[in-house]
Amino acid sequence: MAALRKVTTCLRLLRSSAPVLFSIRKPAVHKAVKWTSIVYTGVASLTVGGGLCAVPFKQVENLSHDSLIKRAASLVTDSSSTFLSQTSLALVDAITEYSKAVHTLIALQKRYLQSLEKLSPAEEDTIWQVIIGQRSQVSLDRQDECKRFESTWVSAVRLCETAAEAAYISGAEHAAITVRSNIQVAQSQVEVAQKLSLDSDKKLAETKVMEVERMMQYVASSQNNIEEEEVPEAYLRED
């Protein structure tokens, strides 16, 4: 019991002395060391956390600025290539849908011209409404979509070119070569799609010319029929 009382007394003494012990000033040398450690820790954390490259804290001392810049350049080229790939896919799909819409319009116009003299006024009006709707889809919806994605795609190509140049200057040659290769692939894919679009536009122009010629023939034929109907039968008889 006596030993237990002694232990209890010592604990009470320590508790009562704790505020006094913590209030005692430490030597200036220790304080300077403490603040110096805090400053260095903050700078290292800011350097790692504020950059694009997630470098573990233990490896900061082992990585030079050149190494960190190369890693950052590689990340930039990777993200730029992803942006280029996505915009290329969107542009190719838009051009493909535009070409499909043009071919549908061409088929409608040819069908209309082939059955021009066989249609009733109501049927002709119905077909014309369908043709007008398809023309609106081609010239407004699909064409505007192509222009919008093409503008974004051009920006993506420029971004990749800038990223490739920055990577090469920083010493990340492999990343620069990769992104330049991606640019060439994207340009090749878009060129193929644009060629199909130009062929569709050419066929549409030819169809329009054919439409104008066919309509002129139809109007001339209609006028001849009207004139023949208006001529009195007496003038057609032989003397």
Side-chain angles (χ1 to χ4, degrees), residues 161-226:
E161 290 174 347
T162 303
E165 182 179 359
Y168 181 78
I169 293 174
S170 64
E173 291 86 358
H174 179 71
I177 294 173
T178 300
V179 72
R180 283 172 179 164
S181 177
N182 293 336
I183 292 174
Q184 293 178 354
V185 172
Q187 290 175 336
S188 177
Q189 292 174 345
V190 171
E191 286 177 0
V192 172
Q194 288 177 337
K195 184 178 180 181
L196 294 176
S197 176
L198 291 175
D199 292 341
S200 300
D201 291 339
K202 183 179 179 181
K203 292 180 180 179
L204 181 60
E206 294 174 353
T207 304
K208 288 182 178 179
V209 173
M210 184 174 64
E211 179 183 356
V212 172
E213 294 177 351
R214 183 69 181 86
M215 291 299 296
M216 291 177 63
Q217 293 175 0
Y218 176 73
V219 171
S221 177
S222 300
Q223 290 178 349
N224 291 334
N225 292 334
I226 293 175

Side-chain angles (χ1 to χ4, degrees), residues 82-223:
T82 302
F83 180 44
L84 177 62
S85 176
Q86 192 61 47
T87 54
S88 299
L89 178 62
L91 179 56
V92 170
D93 286 346
I95 294 174
T96 302
E97 292 299 322
Y98 169 78
S99 299
K100 290 180 180 179
V102 170
H103 282 289
T104 301
L105 177 59
I106 292 173
L108 288 172
Q109 290 179 337
K110 287 184 177 180
R111 183 178 179 183
Y112 169 73
L113 295 176
Q114 290 172 356
S115 56
L116 185 60
E117 298 177 352
K118 304 176 184 179
L119 297 174
S120 64
E123 291 174 340
E124 184 176 350
D125 183 67
T126 301
I127 294 179
W128 260 114
Q129 292 300 324
V130 175
I131 292 176
I132 291 173
Q134 189 65 24
R135 284 178 177 175
S136 176
Q137 182 181 4
V138 169
S139 60
L140 296 179
D141 300 337
R142 298 303 180 187
Q143 205 167 38
D144 289 347
E145 186 180 48
C146 289
K147 291 179 180 179
R148 179 165 55 87
F149 283 132
E150 185 177 7
S151 176
T152 307
W153 179 79
V154 170
S155 299
V157 171
R158 292 175 180 172
L159 178 62
C160 286
E161 290 174 347
T162 303
E165 182 179 359
Y168 181 78
I169 293 174
S170 64
E173 291 86 358
H174 179 71
I177 294 173
T178 300
V179 72
R180 283 172 179 164
S181 177
N182 293 336
I183 292 174
Q184 293 178 354
V185 172
Q187 290 175 336
S188 177
Q189 292 174 345
V190 171
E191 286 177 0
V192 172
Q194 288 177 337
K195 184 178 180 181
L196 294 176
S197 176
L198 291 175
D199 292 341
S200 300
D201 291 339
K202 183 179 179 181
K203 292 180 180 179
L204 181 60
E206 294 174 353
T207 304
K208 288 182 178 179
V209 173
M210 184 174 64
E211 179 183 356
V212 172
E213 294 177 351
R214 183 69 181 86
M215 291 299 296
M216 291 177 63
Q217 293 175 0
Y218 176 73
V219 171
S221 177
S222 300
Q223 290 178 349

Side-chain angles (χ1 to χ4, degrees), residues 2-19:
L4 180 60
R5 288 177 181 176
K6 287 182 180 181
V7 172
T8 304
T9 303
C10 290
L11 290 174
R12 289 177 180 176
L13 181 61
L14 288 173
R15 289 179 180 176
S16 61
S17 302

